[in-house]
Amino acid sequence: MPRESPAGVMTAVDSPENILFTSTTHAFLQKEASLRHVRELHASGKSFDSNWWRRAAELGWTGLLVPEELGGGSISGNGVQDLAAVAEQLGRTVAPGPLYPVSTVLAGLVDSADRHAHAGLIESLISGQVVASWAVCEPKRQWAPLDPTVTATPTGNGYRIRGAKDRVEAAAQSAMLLVVARCGPNDSGVRQFLVPTDAQGVRITGQQSIDLVKQYARVDFDDVAVADSAAVGSATETAALVDRQSQIAQVLQCAEAVGIVQTVFDFTVQWALDRHTFGRPLASYQALKHKFADMKMWVEACRATTIAAVAEVAARSPEAGRLASTAKSYVGEMAGQIVQSCVQLHGGIGVTWEHDLHLYLRRVTLYRAMFGTPEEHNLRVYEAQRAAK
């Protein structure tokens, strides 16, 4: 079982406020979202409990990216780093909950020029009373958030949205979707629209997920009518908004993966210390020492790469996109290898349903494919480097 340590690595816990926030988040997850709770949710066919999510929102998770004028605020003054610290803690118990879909929607809303027009939705999301998700991925297509096939056709007093999105997290539990669509003259522009999930023409179909509690869905839009006020941001700022939302999603997943690999590595080392063969601990054998040394290096590299990306995204640096892609590429590839190595080191018990290893392996395997694969982000880093020359 993972060691229970509230210390995080995504933000410095050097003030009473940060220490209290991190320890409270850790204690809440250990009590209310433990591995046992994850298994119970899976057995009941649920993704997360809405009352649990409201209690999580009360801890401040949902307001970290939102300015104080709109009801939010962060503990350290750096909302992205605080949110990454929460994500890291989520990884320790592969906790459920719509943290990423809600956070990416809020990132788009609060950064848009018309943020005050959406103040009511922002308030509902912060309170946890409402869940919303970002509809950006499309069926049988690679990660291309600014090249959607879903269309939004102007009607004079609004838009009609047509097409399909898939891999929409918590779509069935969401009241609202933020949909990326192509619109404008000759389909030349890209905009984002708030679409209620109960609107006429919206059809949500669940998709199978490798994770026990992360649920996704395909969403079809059959001439769904929305008002002009449903648009989020102007046409000129949409690209920047989508890039920002992408970066937030990517670094949060990397931060959670760091929490996963650190936890799995720690309890695998402890297992090797406790397990004896021929009168000595398994961890004392040189071959295993070398393996653990390699894995420790990989874990630290995942951590360092993620911390660098979080810092750049938090600072809104021109390098934020490249660093987020670098982290997503490296962590997306290495996290699975680290957990797979831990499975092998556990021997036969590591591949059983009863052991917790597969819960962690499922989560990192899922995240490898979400918001761009390592291969796709390798190309993005290469293109960014070539453009900089």
Side-chain angles (χ1 to χ4, degrees), residues 9 14 24 63 75 84 106 119 145 188 192 198 232 256 278 304 324 335 344 372:
V9 301
D14 54 1
T24 301
I75 305 302
L106 282 170
S188 59
Q192 295 192 98
D198 61 356
V232 174
E256 182 177 346
F278 300 109
Q344 296 300 317

Side-chain angles (χ1 to χ4, degrees), residues 84-281:
V86 173
E88 183 190 359
Q89 294 294 331
L90 291 176
R92 294 176 179 271
T93 60
V94 286
L99 182 70
Y100 303 157
V102 169
S103 295
T104 50
V105 170
L106 282 170
L109 294 176
V110 302
D111 277 9
S112 65
D114 55 359
R115 63 181 68 87
H116 292 286
H118 307 293
L121 176 58
I122 292 172
E123 181 181 358
S124 298
L125 292 172
I126 292 175
S127 69
Q129 297 298 318
V130 168
V131 171
S133 189
W134 192 28
V136 59
C137 297
E138 297 190 348
K140 299 181 181 180
R141 299 194 73 206
Q142 295 183 334
W143 175 243
L146 290 173
D147 185 28
T149 61
V150 171
T151 59
T153 305
T155 61
N157 60 349
Y159 297 84
R160 286 196 173 273
I161 299 177
R162 174 180 293 178
K165 298 287 186 179
D166 73 347
R167 291 160 285 173
V168 182
E169 183 177 352
Q173 295 82 18
S174 296
M176 192 75 67
L177 300 176
L178 182 59
V179 183
V180 183
R182 187 174 298 280
C183 64
N186 301 318
D187 290 341
S188 59
V190 175
R191 301 285 298 276
Q192 295 192 98
F193 300 89
L194 289 168
V195 179
T197 54
D198 61 356
Q200 185 175 359
V202 175
R203 184 171 74 255
I204 298 175
T205 307
Q207 294 179 304
Q208 187 173 2
S209 170
I210 192 173
D211 193 89
L212 291 189
V213 291
K214 289 280 185 178
Q215 294 183 1
Y216 294 83
R218 173 186 170 119
V219 184
D220 290 280
F221 303 92
D222 185 12
D223 282 332
V224 179
V226 296
D228 284 327
S229 58
V232 174
S234 65
T236 56
E237 65 179 334
T238 297
L241 291 175
V242 172
D243 280 344
R244 175 71 173 172
Q245 292 166 254
S246 300
Q247 294 164 16
I248 294 292
Q250 288 153 10
V251 297
L252 289 182
Q253 286 195 344
C254 289
E256 182 177 346
V258 169
I260 288 173
V261 296
Q262 185 66 68
T263 300
V264 173
F265 177 76
D266 286 345
F267 73 64
T268 301
V269 170
Q270 190 61 51
W271 178 86
L273 289 169
D274 294 339
R275 182 78 171 178
H276 285 66
T277 180
F278 300 109
R280 55 188 289 196

